[in-house]
């Protein structure tokens, strides 16, 4: 049974303020303990105000590495790129941003191991922060032919390439995503979602666990750590 703790807020601003504080605390704790921090954060729209609040915090950002939980396989100059969003959000603070793979060629160059860059990082991450789509995907673990690859990839694989089917209209391109094992290796996992529809969907996914039809349910069902879920209407 997934051990989920819900944190409810009245507005996106309240959620953004609280989650920025929580993520800042996780980073500071990692810096105190290991003199470095590695966080994996999602793309999408929900995180944007949180990033803005978080990067106002005074901390030794030069010792913080930020990676996307997933990306679209497009060049970093492309507006669909999560690496571009993270670079814009975190580089001004002095943090290091490491893209996973940014194109099919990049992915192939890495010997089809989409996680070549992640292999050089001190794993596990201090935080994996997840969003959820209205179809129940998380990171870029979507229903479709590649779902099982992303769920069952061995611990040594930190990311895999996937082709969602159907392609999500907001970004109809191939993707790369942290695997379930990579997500669950994190010291801390938190989820941010907005709206009642997503809340109902996530509550159902948590209740269904391993038998969930939703990728996020299949991912979180194996979690050994408690999951903090931050929600606002
Ligand atoms: C992506 C994101 C994706 C996102 C959800 C929720 O690359 O699209 O990583 O998994 O977290 O789609 O997006 P919103 O926060 O915009 O609803």
């Amino acid at each position: 049974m997934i051990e989920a703790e819900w944190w409810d807020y009245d507005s996106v601003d309240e959620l953004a303020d609280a989650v920025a504080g929580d993520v800042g605390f996780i980073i500071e704790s990692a810096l105190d303990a290991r003199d470095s921090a590695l966080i994996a954060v999602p793309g999408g729209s929900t995180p944007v105000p949180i990033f803005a609040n978080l990067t106002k915090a005074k901390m030794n950002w030069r010792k913080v590495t930020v990676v996307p939980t997933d990306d679209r396989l497009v060049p970093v100059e492309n507006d669909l790129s999560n690496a571009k969003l993270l670079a814009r959000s975190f580089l001004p603070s002095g943090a290091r941003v490491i893209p996973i793979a940014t194109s099919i060629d990049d992915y192939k160059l890495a010997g089809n191991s989409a996680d070549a860059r992640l292999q050089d990082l001190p794993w596990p991450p201090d935080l994996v922060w997840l969003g959820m789509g209205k179809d129940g995907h998380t990171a870029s673990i979507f229903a479709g032919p590649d779902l099982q690859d992303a769920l069952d990839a061995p611990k040594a694989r930190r990311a895999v390439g996937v082709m969602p089917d159907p392609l999500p209209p907001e970004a109809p391109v191939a993707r790369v995503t942290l695997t379930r094992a990579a997500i669950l290796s994190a010291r801390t996992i938190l989820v941010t979602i907005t709206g009642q529809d997503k809340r109902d969907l996530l509550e159902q996914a948590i209740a269904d666990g391993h038998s969930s039809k939703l990728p996020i349910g299949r991912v979180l069902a194996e979690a050994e750590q408690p999951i903090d879920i931050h929600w606002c209407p």
Side-chain angles (χ1 to χ4, degrees), residues 42-47 69-70 72 82 131-133 137-140 175 198:
S45 56
T46 305
T69 55
D70 61 307
R72 296 79 183 270
N82 286 338
M132 184 189 80
H137 82 264
T138 192
S140 280
R175 303 263 188 133
K198 283 191 179 183

Side-chain angles (χ1 to χ4, degrees), residues 122-203:
W123 213 258
D126 297 290
L127 168 68
V128 168
W129 163 9
L130 299 172
M132 184 189 80
K134 55 185 185 302
D135 59 356
H137 82 264
T138 192
S140 280
I141 303 178
F142 286 83
D146 298 330
L147 174 63
Q148 220 51 50
D149 284 354
L151 292 177
D152 297 341
K155 280 188 185 311
R157 290 302 302 276
R158 292 177 180 162
V160 290
V162 293
M163 181 63 84
D165 178 18
L167 284 172
E170 73 278 5
V173 293
R175 303 263 188 133
V176 63
T177 184
L178 289 187
T179 62
R180 171 167 62 183
I183 290 169
L184 299 184
S185 72
R187 292 184 174 89
T188 304
I189 298 173
L190 74 80
V191 180
T192 51
I193 56 168
T194 60
Q196 191 58 49
D197 289 350
K198 283 191 179 183
R199 176 166 190 135
D200 296 345
L201 207 60
L202 184 50
E203 283 180 340

Side-chain angles (χ1 to χ4, degrees), residues 216-227:
I216 195 166
R218 301 285 299 282
V219 169
L220 298 183
E222 307 259 345
E224 291 170 2
Q225 59 278 69
I227 311 287

